[in-house]
């Protein structure tokens, strides 16, 4: 009970968590940038040659939409199946 509370100090694990989250975010946006570069580069130089109109929003939106079936399965189907047992 006589322990003094350190004011203004964060737990050591919080720094690890912060840098892990920042690294994950950095890697995600790096991969999106590489994917966009690959899709927008002309076909003569090895890219796919898609048009630049709305390509960024389409790619980022499709990345988020890929996870929707899994989310549907986890939240609805798995819960209803677990009630049967």
């Amino acid at each position: 009970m006589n322990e003094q509370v350190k004011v203004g100090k964060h737990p050591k694990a919080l720094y690890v968590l912060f840098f892990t989250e920042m690294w994950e975010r950095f890697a995600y946006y790096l991969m999106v940038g590489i994917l966009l570069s690959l899709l927008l580069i002309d076909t003569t130089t090895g890219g796919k040659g898609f048009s630049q109109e709305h390509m960024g929003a389409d790619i980022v939106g499709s990345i988020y939409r890929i996870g929707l079936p899994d989310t549907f399965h986890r939240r609805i189907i798995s819960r209803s199946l677990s009630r049967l047992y």
Side-chain angles (χ1 to χ4, degrees), residues 31-72:
M31 288 295 131
V32 168
I34 291 172
L35 180 63
L36 283 175
S37 299
L38 175 68
L39 293 176
L40 295 177
I41 292 174
D42 192 24
T43 55
T44 58
T45 57
K48 298 296 180 186
F50 289 118
S51 66
Q52 292 186 3
E53 298 176 11
H54 311 294
M55 180 54 70
D58 291 342
I59 293 299
V60 174
S62 64
I63 289 171
Y64 283 111
R65 284 190 296 270
I66 286 172
L68 288 178
D70 182 53
T71 303
F72 174 76

Side-chain angles (χ1 to χ4, degrees), residues 13-31:
L14 187 62
Y15 295 111
V16 174
L17 177 67
F18 173 76
F19 285 114
T20 303
E21 289 294 326
M22 288 298 108
W23 178 255
E24 182 180 346
R25 185 171 298 202
F26 170 74
Y28 168 75
Y29 285 113
L30 179 69
M31 288 295 131

